[in-house]
Amino acid sequence: MSSRMFKFGITAASACAGSVIAAWSIDRWNSPHVVNNAVQRPPKRKRTLPMRSEQIKSLMSGEEYDVLIIGGGATGAGCALDSVTRGLKTALVELDDFASGTSSRSTKLIHGGVRYLQKAILGLDLEQYRMVKEALAERANMLESAPHLTHPLPIMLPVYTWWQVPYYWVGIKAYDLVAGDRNVKSSYLLSKKDALELFPMLKKDKLCGAIVYYDGQQDDARMCLAVALTAARHGAVVCNHVEVKELLKKDDGSGKQVLCGAKVKDHISGKEFTVKAKCIINATGPFTDSIRKMDDPTVKSICCPSSGVHIVLPGYYSPDQMGLLDPSTSDGRVIFFLPWQRQTIAGTTDLPCEITHNPAPTEDEIQFILSEIKNYLNADVEVRRGDVLSAWSGIRPLVSDPNKDDTQSLARNHIVHVSPSNLITIAGGKWTTYRAMAEHTLDAAIKACNLKPERAEAVTSYLKIEGGQGWTPTMYIRLVQDFGLECEVAQHLAKSYGDRAFAVSKMASLTGKRWPIIGNRIHPEFPYIDAEIRYGVREYACTAVDMIARRLRLAFLNVQAAQEALPAVVDIMGEELKWSKEEKERQIKHATEFLANEMGHTINRTSKERIPIKLSKEEIQTYVKRFQLIDKDKKGYVSINDIRRALKSFGDGDVSGEQLHDILKEIDTNMNGQVELDEYLQMMSAIKTGDVAYSRFARMAELEEQKHEAANLKQKISVDRSGGGL
């Protein structure tokens, strides 16, 4: 035993020394880009946020902008903030909504890339090393600039082979070393006992121990929105739902055709107009090539899209404050298993895909993630298909570098390219490095288009993002005390809006209860309140999808709950935006399609339909009896009136029409507005096998049987025959 431990120590020490020397050597060889953190006076921001109508009016004014950015994801919003804070007249247009693409569909991690560092050190790969070092510096910047939307997250790497303990420990320590003074927290080694204490769901068999390291976690869609709003407060014109239809060019005086603006269309009003600009930046992620070909139809495509699917499971699958990393899945990919917003995120896959505005998860990808999860959880935790609350696909825009002759190899870092007509394209990269990507892009744009900024260098490295200036970890207590909000709601508002939570709270309606005084929830299971919808309209939400997916994160957390909350959301948005009855119906239809196709609602339902009925004869008899008790008119099916009558008999007389329809839709797989016996039996079989977690209809049928049995018992044994009690 002592000999083994001695060898263990020698191996660890040698590997650690080697990784340190390798990291130091690479650092000496070629120092990566260094962010200028010199203390400067930050530019002043506006006290009030301009309304969207004012932003559109500014775009239509005919004024010439220094910079026009196409794309409202993390990179585009970052470019807008960098540009406007340097003193350039800036505009940004986005076809859909801020963060509607890849930027809202990430793993929610702010990270440097442990896997990339392993490849960098073992292969002495300078490019990957520089990418990791830059990402670790930007990780620290994000945690400082938006403390309300980001936080450090410990991630556990369980080890099941003893010799891997020193190997992984050295690698993680090298990760800390590369971060240097920008490290979040130091990693540490855990024994088997301590690992199981922190992560009780972990598989115990052959577990040798675990290593815990720290990365950051964020609310990605709200982070992107906050960056865009910060740019707007500094004077940038940022407009969602505005499509670029054509790029405009002019002669620069030397016979060269250069870009001078774009023809755009506002999809909310339907108006088309021209925006003049000295410089145009293409920050469209997976749609990079569509804008490049708008500039020059002959250019070769550089984007190689990859689909990354994530699923959301109930919060009990993981501890509140501990993530899990599977470093080597069955096909060599990495799977993360992370707590987020009181639920659990698992992902991601990595498969070639087509570029589309509406990416959708597939059943095979969901099953792959579930099967990999099972390998790391103990036998007591049954991983059920029915526990998948939501699922989504994001398109990762891997790119080949057009600046190099060899365009076959994919760039692992971001690339900035200037076309002959001065289209500045920023592509590749990742969420964590959005600020540095924007800085590099603006540096290139200023040089290529001969712009004259007030500040030559970026100032975004020390700028607080919207909501971060006055935020403190205990700010939510003031919200509870000053406004009479529920503690859970107050914590949510503080984390989502930072110091803007007070403005949100002022818009909350009275509950009519002793407590909480204000803040009516739009869904009983989540802390989202009515005021957030009204405030979301002021944050440029134009559609119901904007609201349920990106202002609130309900669609990503629980697709069924989002569907249930949708009518209330549309009603409040309708009041704010003066929607007609027809427009409300259109919004509900569009949002329902979004939830069905892009958030996994349809494949969740389809997975139920595929489940064969596996019930015993006795179970079938029980469920047939329950079904017939609800179907009192002997129609052979259960209608919405039957459900209403059953709920009223239990004292639930105030159930709304929307709630009744939601209960019906849970089980009505053929979508004919009624429940047949085979649908009910299929649901009960799915619950038995674990493919479906819970059904309110099934619970209602069970209560109906209990009520019927109680009534029969009273008839069989009268008070006289029972001896009058005692």
Side-chain angles (χ1 to χ4, degrees):
M1 180 65 184
S2 60
S3 174
R4 177 178 291 184
M5 290 305 295
F6 177 75
K7 290 178 181 178
F8 173 95
I10 291 295
T11 304
S14 301
C16 185
S19 65
V20 169
I21 292 169
W24 178 83
S25 300
I26 296 174
D27 241 349
R28 295 276 294 177
W29 178 16
N30 195 342
S31 179
H33 173 81
V34 177
V35 176
N36 179 16
N37 283 312
V39 177
Q40 302 178 46
R41 186 184 180 121
K44 291 183 179 179
R45 64 180 77 194
K46 296 180 181 180
R47 292 179 62 86
T48 58
L49 195 66
M51 295 177 65
R52 185 180 184 278
S53 58
E54 295 174 36
Q55 301 281 51
I56 291 291
K57 187 177 179 181
S58 297
L59 268 189
M60 297 175 66
S61 67
E63 292 183 52
E64 185 179 42
Y65 290 89
D66 292 318
V67 177
L68 171 63
I69 299 152
I70 307 172
T75 307
C79 286
L81 181 57
D82 190 298
S83 176
V84 74
T85 52
R86 292 197 199 202
L88 295 169
K89 190 174 177 63
T90 306
L92 178 149
V93 293
E94 160 61 39
L95 169 62
D96 194 346
D97 184 29
F98 305 111
S100 57
T102 309
S103 296
S104 63
R105 302 166 189 245
S106 73
T107 313
K108 323 304 179 195
L109 280 179
I110 310 168
H111 65 115
V114 175
R115 193 76 174 268
Y116 296 133
L117 182 62
Q118 178 192 29
K119 293 178 181 177
I121 293 177
L122 294 180
L124 289 177
D125 188 327
L126 175 64
E127 184 184 352
Q128 293 220 42
Y129 174 79
R130 292 179 64 185
M131 181 177 68
V132 174
K133 190 166 182 65
E134 179 183 63
L136 289 171
E138 291 303 318
R139 179 186 68 178
N141 280 336
M142 285 186 71
L143 291 167
E144 291 167 7
S145 66
H148 57 303
L149 292 169
T150 64
H151 62 272
L153 178 70
I155 300 175
M156 182 181 291
L157 198 163
V159 185
Y160 290 90
T161 307
W162 76 265
W163 65 264
Q164 289 184 327
V165 174
Y167 176 77
Y168 285 130
W169 181 78
V170 167
I172 295 299
K173 281 300 174 185
Y175 193 60
D176 291 349
L177 178 71
V178 174
D181 61 356
R182 311 308 304 277
N183 197 25
V184 179
K185 289 184 180 180
S186 293
S187 57
Y188 55 91
L189 187 65
L190 288 174
S191 66
K192 175 180 179 178
K193 179 182 177 183
D194 290 341
L196 292 172
E197 186 176 329
L198 285 173
F199 208 115
M201 309 84 175
L202 207 57
K203 186 173 71 175
K204 305 173 186 177
D205 298 343
K206 299 182 181 179
L207 180 67
C208 300
I211 297 145
V212 175
Y213 72 97
Y214 283 82
D215 264 327
Q217 191 176 48
Q218 65 167 336
D219 183 339
D220 54 1
R222 286 214 61 86
M223 181 69 181
C224 180
L225 176 64
V227 174
L229 296 178
T230 308
R233 284 196 189 273
H234 280 92
V237 174
V238 297
C239 296
N240 54 352
H241 299 285
V242 174
E243 180 184 5
V244 172
K245 306 290 286 186
E246 182 184 348
L247 296 179
L248 305 176
K249 296 180 181 179
K250 68 176 183 180
D251 192 311
D252 68 349
S254 64
K256 179 183 177 183
Q257 291 289 307
V258 295
L259 295 174
C260 62
K263 286 184 179 179
V264 302
K265 179 179 180 179
D266 175 17
H267 283 285
I268 302 303
S269 66
K271 295 178 180 178
E272 294 192 23
F273 49 93
T274 298
V275 181
K276 299 176 185 177
K278 298 174 185 175
C279 174
I280 296 181
I281 294 175
N282 173 17
T284 52
F287 306 99
T288 293
D289 287 324
S290 64
I291 301 298
R292 292 178 72 243
K293 290 182 179 181
M294 200 179 285
D295 172 45
D296 179 2
T298 65
V299 297
K300 292 182 179 180
S301 297
I302 62 170
C303 190
C304 180
S306 171
S307 168
V309 169
H310 294 82
I311 64 174
V312 172
L313 298 164
Y316 55 71
Y317 271 93
S318 64
D320 289 340
Q321 283 300 320
M322 181 66 73
L324 184 72
L325 167 65
D326 177 356
S328 183
T329 61
S330 58
D331 65 353
R333 287 178 281 191
V334 169
I335 288 281
F336 284 100
F337 194 61
L338 310 168
W340 186 67
Q341 305 260 338
R342 302 194 178 191
Q343 310 291 1
T344 301
I345 285 182
T348 178
T349 60
D350 187 13
L351 293 172
C353 68
E354 296 296 320
I355 297 175
T356 172
H357 286 283
N358 311 109
T362 65
E363 183 64 23
D364 288 344
E365 289 173 303
I366 291 173
Q367 290 294 347
F368 167 77
I369 295 171
L370 290 174
S371 65
E372 293 300 329
I373 289 170
K374 291 177 184 178
N375 295 332
Y376 274 82
L377 299 182
N378 67 49
D380 295 338
V381 182
E382 185 182 356
V383 181
R384 307 182 299 184
R385 175 63 180 84
D387 283 337
V388 176
L389 304 175
S390 187
W392 69 86
S393 172
I395 300 177
R396 184 185 177 201
L398 301 173
V399 292
S400 55
D401 192 343
N403 300 310
K404 296 179 181 178
D405 294 332
D406 176 18
T407 57
Q408 297 303 312
S409 59
L410 296 177
R412 289 165 291 195
N413 207 342
H414 62 269
I415 58 101
V416 178
H417 178 255
V418 182
S419 77
S421 61
N422 288 348
L423 175 66
I424 315 296
T425 294
I426 169 67
K430 59 182 180 179
W431 229 120
T432 307
T433 58
Y434 87 93
R435 194 211 63 81
M437 290 165 65
E439 182 177 341
H440 300 161
T441 305
L442 263 296
D443 288 343
I446 290 168
K447 182 179 178 181
C449 300
N450 196 28
L451 303 177
K452 306 296 181 185
E454 293 176 13
R455 301 171 186 84
E457 296 183 349
V459 296
T460 50
S461 60
Y462 57 86
L463 206 64
K464 290 289 185 184
I465 302 303
E466 173 91 350
Q469 284 187 308
W471 180 85
T472 64
T474 56
M475 194 188 79
Y476 73 93
I477 297 173
R478 285 177 54 201
L479 294 172
V480 175
Q481 294 174 337
D482 295 353
F483 293 97
L485 288 162
E486 288 179 79
C487 187
E488 183 186 1
V489 170
Q491 288 175 324
H492 154 67
L493 293 180
K495 289 177 181 177
S496 296
Y497 302 91
D499 59 20
R500 306 304 303 164
F502 294 96
V504 179
S505 300
K506 288 176 183 176
M507 302 176 76
S509 60
L510 293 168
T511 63
K513 303 175 184 176
R514 185 184 64 81
W515 189 265
I517 298 170
I518 65 166
N520 288 297
R521 296 190 183 214
I522 62 168
H523 192 281
E525 297 172 23
F526 292 88
Y528 302 118
I529 59 172
D530 54 352
E532 294 182 77
I533 301 168
R534 300 189 190 281
Y535 192 79
V537 171
R538 288 152 182 79
E539 291 183 322
Y540 308 140
C542 300
T543 69
V545 174
D546 293 351
M547 191 66 68
I548 61 174
R550 292 172 288 273
R551 302 309 180 280
L552 317 178
R553 304 311 309 275
L554 196 52
F556 283 81
L557 292 169
N558 189 316
V559 67
Q560 180 64 37
Q563 184 70 57
E564 292 165 6
L566 191 55
V569 170
V570 169
D571 282 343
I572 297 173
M573 288 191 76
E575 290 177 22
E576 293 289 324
L577 295 170
K578 309 294 186 240
W579 284 344
S580 64
K581 181 182 177 183
E582 291 74 22
E583 179 60 20
K584 287 183 181 180
E585 291 173 352
R586 192 183 75 81
Q587 290 289 337
I588 288 178
K589 180 182 178 183
H590 180 247
T592 299
E593 290 172 355
F594 167 79
L595 294 172
N597 299 324
E598 296 183 49
M599 291 290 113
H601 207 186
T602 294
I603 56 173
N604 279 357
R605 295 178 65 89
T606 305
S607 68
K608 297 174 189 176
E609 294 173 13
R610 293 175 181 168
I611 300 165
I613 296 175
K614 295 180 180 179
L615 298 170
S616 66
K617 184 178 180 180
E618 292 75 16
E619 287 171 331
I620 290 175
Q621 289 175 346
T622 298
Y623 298 140
V624 168
K625 178 183 176 183
R626 291 179 185 177
F627 186 85
Q628 291 172 343
L629 288 172
I630 297 177
D631 177 24
K632 294 187 182 296
D633 300 329
K634 310 301 179 188
K635 304 180 295 300
Y637 63 86
V638 171
S639 67
I640 198 163
N641 287 328
D642 293 323
I643 297 173
R644 180 184 287 110
R645 180 170 52 197
L647 291 174
K648 277 187 177 180
S649 70
F650 304 139
D652 295 333
D654 59 345
V655 178
S656 67
E658 288 81 9
Q659 289 174 309
L660 290 169
H661 281 286
D662 288 334
I663 293 172
L664 179 66
K665 282 189 288 188
E666 280 184 3
I667 193 169
D668 180 21
T669 53
N670 61 12
M671 306 293 285
N672 65 351
Q674 58 196 35
V675 180
E676 279 88 17
L677 177 59
D678 63 332
E679 290 176 319
Y680 175 53
L681 294 177
Q682 196 170 53
M683 172 66 76
M684 298 313 298
S685 178
I687 291 173
K688 178 183 177 181
T689 58
D691 290 290
V692 172
Y694 181 75
S695 165
R696 286 170 293 182
F697 185 93
R699 178 59 178 159
M700 182 186 72
E702 183 182 355
L703 291 173
E704 184 72 19
E705 182 187 35
Q706 291 175 4
K707 189 183 72 172
H708 180 75
E709 293 296 334
N712 283 346
L713 194 62
K714 286 182 180 179
Q715 291 176 358
K716 289 178 182 176
I717 307 176
S718 66
V719 173
D720 292 337
R721 287 183 60 193
S722 66
L726 286 175

